[in-house]
Amino acid sequence: MKVLGIETSCDETAAAVYDGERGLLSHALYSQVQLHAVYGGVVPELASRDHVKKLLPLVQQALAEAKIDADQLDGVAYTAGPGLVGALLVGASLARSLAFAWGKPAVGVHHLEGHLLAPMLETAAPEFPFLALLVSGGHTLLAEVRGLGEYQIIGSSLDDAAGEAFDKTAKMLGLPYPGGPALAKLADSGKPGGFDFPRPMLDRPGLDFSFSGLKTAVVVAIRGRQLDEQTRADVAYEFQQAVVETLVAKCARAAKQTGLKTLVVAGGVGANRRLRAELQALGEKRGLRVLYPRPEFCTDNAAMIAYAGYRRLAAGEHDDLKIRATARWPLDTLRMPAAV
């Protein structure tokens, strides 16, 4: 089964083709980073307009790189939510229209399900069940992944997601957009001991996260200071360390609570090198197998949507003619396809 995947949930325009027998055949992506950099963040209306311009050429590129024609496809998958509703509508409208014109089934995919299943694109793919840490600009959560559509959230952020806290702290330090990667790079030249930031919610039981207080601690720490380059680097270092130690400690608790021996780390912050190193050390200490998608599949991409769509279409699921675009869509409302 060959499936075209389309992703337009935020500021990445992407298309990919996945084959159930041969694996990923192609993936094409256009990033809007330069478009939004001047505004210091994503402007939803500009994102939607740019998706309109870029998406169809990317679909054509993905099909060409896969060396297949539309009549060789068996279905179309697209991100139906959560995300920016205008951006979602661009991808959903094109995907549903192409599927109708080609006489192929279509299925709307949950964006976070795509992230959770992204490691399945790798050679060393995890087997169900596994523990997942999904950490990105919009989401931070821990989930037990028992199978397709079987996701039990056991911890989530009560306020800012980790990636959002990275971006906002980077902005305080005068770093360019996107802030998270810029802050991580600056942290490489930072020195420990200059600042003492809290590790949020580690002093109480449970698996939930909270990063707004950490962000406030940074505001208080730099207020009235002369922020030379070394000071900014030291703040970045200690902030990153606080986030990483919090995430790692919660993963350790979750592994102990669930008894699961495989930890999958997904989402954009999952590409952070410091987080990967600390989680790898945790894995070696606790006997955990720690897996990640490759960096290009940590951030938003269509390969993960094509794969998730393939799994659902193969199970007999498909949508009616309605165009689905849902800005808010809780992950734990997903269900396993009836045929699985």
Side-chain angles (χ1 to χ4, degrees):
M1 175 179 280
K2 299 179 183 66
V3 176
L4 169 68
I6 289 175
E7 155 64 18
T8 60
S9 64
C10 190
D11 62 338
E12 310 283 4
T13 314
V17 177
Y18 184 85
D19 185 336
E21 294 183 358
R22 293 189 289 158
L24 187 64
L25 301 184
S26 66
H27 67 103
L29 183 144
Y30 176 81
S31 174
Q32 299 178 2
V33 164
Q34 290 186 342
L35 173 66
H36 300 288
V38 66
Y39 303 101
V42 177
V43 181
E45 177 65 19
L46 295 181
S48 302
R49 290 174 181 272
D50 209 49
H51 287 314
V52 171
K53 291 191 294 183
K54 300 298 194 307
L55 183 54
L56 186 55
L58 280 174
V59 168
Q60 294 168 330
Q61 179 184 333
L63 291 174
E65 289 179 359
K67 298 186 169 108
I68 65 171
D69 297 321
D71 59 3
Q72 295 174 275
L73 289 171
D74 298 291
V76 179
Y78 62 94
T79 304
L84 301 176
V85 71
L88 289 167
L89 278 168
V90 176
S93 298
L94 180 63
R96 199 64 199 79
S97 299
L98 291 176
F100 179 77
W102 294 337
K104 310 293 182 181
V107 64
V109 171
H110 194 292
H111 183 73
L112 301 189
E113 180 172 66
H115 277 301
L116 291 177
L117 298 181
M120 301 296 187
L121 294 164
E122 307 299 341
T123 304
E127 294 183 357
F128 299 122
F130 58 81
L131 175 66
L133 171 67
L134 177 55
V135 55
S136 66
H139 305 275
T140 300
L141 61 86
L142 282 161
E144 290 186 51
V145 180
R146 297 284 173 182
L148 181 66
E150 295 183 279
Y151 314 119
Q152 181 181 355
I153 297 175
I154 56 177
S156 60
S157 181
L158 303 179
D159 40 59
D160 288 355
E164 185 180 7
F166 261 95
D167 289 340
K168 290 180 178 178
T169 301
K171 194 168 186 178
M172 293 180 217
L173 296 177
L175 297 175
Y177 174 84
L183 187 146
K185 183 178 180 180
L186 179 61
D188 289 342
S189 55
K191 298 176 183 176
F195 296 88
D196 184 18
F197 295 136
R199 275 54 176 165
M201 297 187 72
L202 289 189
D203 58 347
R204 66 187 75 176
L207 297 173
D208 288 333
F209 303 91
S210 172
F211 293 106
S212 64
L214 174 58
K215 181 184 63 180
T216 301
V218 174
V219 173
V220 173
I222 66 176
R223 184 179 294 151
R225 281 181 177 263
Q226 187 67 36
L227 293 181
D228 56 33
E229 190 64 19
Q230 188 58 56
T231 302
R232 290 164 69 243
D234 293 347
V235 171
Y237 176 91
E238 292 292 357
F239 169 82
Q240 177 177 257
Q241 196 63 25
V243 174
V244 167
E245 288 183 13
T246 300
L247 293 172
V248 171
K250 295 286 183 165
C251 286
R253 287 185 189 179
K256 182 178 180 180
Q257 176 178 308
T258 62
L260 296 172
K261 294 300 182 182
T262 300
L263 171 65
V264 164
V265 185
V269 182
N272 182 281
R273 289 184 292 109
R274 185 66 181 175
L275 177 61
R276 290 193 172 209
E278 295 287 342
L279 285 174
Q280 200 62 46
L282 173 68
E284 293 171 2
K285 181 179 179 182
R286 298 288 185 91
L288 280 173
R289 184 183 181 212
V290 183
L291 300 175
Y292 314 85
R294 70 193 79 166
E296 62 262 39
F297 297 152
C298 286
T299 53
D300 294 349
N301 66 89
M304 66 184 190
I305 302 303
Y307 177 78
Y310 155 74
R311 291 294 303 268
R312 288 191 170 269
L313 287 166
E317 180 179 337
H318 60 85
D319 295 343
D320 55 22
L321 292 177
K322 183 185 297 184
I323 294 172
R324 296 172 58 196
T326 306
R328 297 183 181 276
W329 186 2
L331 179 66
D332 53 9
T333 64
L334 280 183
R335 294 294 177 263
M336 179 174 58
V340 174

